PDB file of all heavy atoms in Angstrom:
ATOM      1  N   ASP A  29    -113.285  23.638  91.733  1.00 83.00           N
ATOM      2  CA  ASP A  29    -112.292  24.179  92.634  1.00 83.00           C
ATOM      3  C   ASP A  29    -112.380  23.587  94.034  1.00 83.00           C
ATOM      4  O   ASP A  29    -111.359  23.247  94.712  1.00 83.00           O
ATOM      5  CB  ASP A  29    -112.341  25.697  92.619  1.00 83.00           C
ATOM      6  CG  ASP A  29    -111.944  26.369  91.364  1.00 83.00           C
ATOM      7  OD1 ASP A  29    -111.269  25.711  90.506  1.00 83.00           O
ATOM      8  OD2 ASP A  29    -112.293  27.518  91.148  1.00 83.00           O
ATOM      9  N   GLU A  80    -117.068  51.772  95.181  1.00 51.00           N
ATOM     10  CA  GLU A  80    -117.709  52.553  94.046  1.00 51.00           C
ATOM     11  C   GLU A  80    -118.787  53.447  94.576  1.00 51.00           C
ATOM     12  O   GLU A  80    -118.951  54.501  93.946  1.00 51.00           O
ATOM     13  CB  GLU A  80    -118.359  51.522  93.092  1.00 51.00           C
ATOM     14  CG  GLU A  80    -117.331  50.654  92.314  1.00 51.00           C
ATOM     15  CD  GLU A  80    -117.976  49.587  91.401  1.00 51.00           C
ATOM     16  OE1 GLU A  80    -119.211  49.647  91.466  1.00 51.00           O
ATOM     17  OE2 GLU A  80    -117.267  48.923  90.704  1.00 51.00           O
ATOM     18  N   VAL A 119    -135.932  59.976 119.493  1.00 68.00           N
ATOM     19  CA  VAL A 119    -135.374  60.912 118.535  1.00 68.00           C
ATOM     20  C   VAL A 119    -134.913  62.162 119.291  1.00 68.00           C
ATOM     21  O   VAL A 119    -133.824  62.683 119.033  1.00 68.00           O
ATOM     22  CB  VAL A 119    -136.186  61.248 117.363  1.00 68.00           C
ATOM     23  CG1 VAL A 119    -135.483  62.091 116.351  1.00 68.00           C
ATOM     24  CG2 VAL A 119    -136.770  59.952 116.707  1.00 68.00           C
ATOM     25  N   THR A 162    -149.064  66.127 115.428  1.00 80.00           N
ATOM     26  CA  THR A 162    -148.221  65.308 116.330  1.00 80.00           C
ATOM     27  C   THR A 162    -146.800  65.784 116.297  1.00 80.00           C
ATOM     28  O   THR A 162    -146.132  65.967 117.343  1.00 80.00           O
ATOM     29  CB  THR A 162    -148.393  63.874 116.096  1.00 80.00           C
ATOM     30  OG1 THR A 162    -149.728  63.358 116.172  1.00 80.00           O
ATOM     31  CG2 THR A 162    -147.482  62.986 117.031  1.00 80.00           C
ATOM     32  N   THR A 193    -141.318  74.552 107.957  1.00 92.00           N
ATOM     33  CA  THR A 193    -142.085  75.612 107.327  1.00 92.00           C
ATOM     34  C   THR A 193    -141.766  75.722 105.839  1.00 92.00           C
ATOM     35  O   THR A 193    -142.593  76.186 105.076  1.00 92.00           O
ATOM     36  CB  THR A 193    -141.632  77.018 107.977  1.00 92.00           C
ATOM     37  OG1 THR A 193    -140.272  77.221 107.798  1.00 92.00           O
ATOM     38  CG2 THR A 193    -142.008  77.046 109.420  1.00 92.00           C
ATOM     39  N   LEU A 210    -139.613  84.018 119.388  1.00 97.00           N
ATOM     40  CA  LEU A 210    -139.930  85.079 120.420  1.00 97.00           C
ATOM     41  C   LEU A 210    -139.504  84.664 121.782  1.00 97.00           C
ATOM     42  O   LEU A 210    -139.018  85.540 122.561  1.00 97.00           O
ATOM     43  CB  LEU A 210    -141.475  85.366 120.376  1.00 97.00           C
ATOM     44  CG  LEU A 210    -141.944  86.125 119.095  1.00 97.00           C
ATOM     45  CD1 LEU A 210    -143.492  86.059 119.008  1.00 97.00           C
ATOM     46  CD2 LEU A 210    -141.459  87.594 119.085  1.00 97.00           C
ATOM     47  N   ALA A 319    -158.937  84.684 142.191  1.00 97.00           N
ATOM     48  CA  ALA A 319    -160.205  84.127 141.888  1.00 97.00           C
ATOM     49  C   ALA A 319    -160.171  83.200 140.684  1.00 97.00           C
ATOM     50  O   ALA A 319    -160.733  82.175 140.605  1.00 97.00           O
ATOM     51  CB  ALA A 319    -161.234  85.260 141.655  1.00 97.00           C
ATOM     52  N   PRO A 360    -139.107  71.990 139.658  1.00 79.00           N
ATOM     53  CA  PRO A 360    -138.597  70.860 138.747  1.00 79.00           C
ATOM     54  C   PRO A 360    -137.106  70.979 138.465  1.00 79.00           C
ATOM     55  O   PRO A 360    -136.563  70.017 137.919  1.00 79.00           O
ATOM     56  CB  PRO A 360    -139.393  71.097 137.426  1.00 79.00           C
ATOM     57  CG  PRO A 360    -139.701  72.543 137.470  1.00 79.00           C
ATOM     58  CD  PRO A 360    -139.880  72.939 138.896  1.00 79.00           C
TER      59      PRO A 360
END
Side-chain angles (χ1 to χ4, degrees):
D29 289 341
E80 292 177 0
V119 185
T162 299
T193 59
L210 290 164

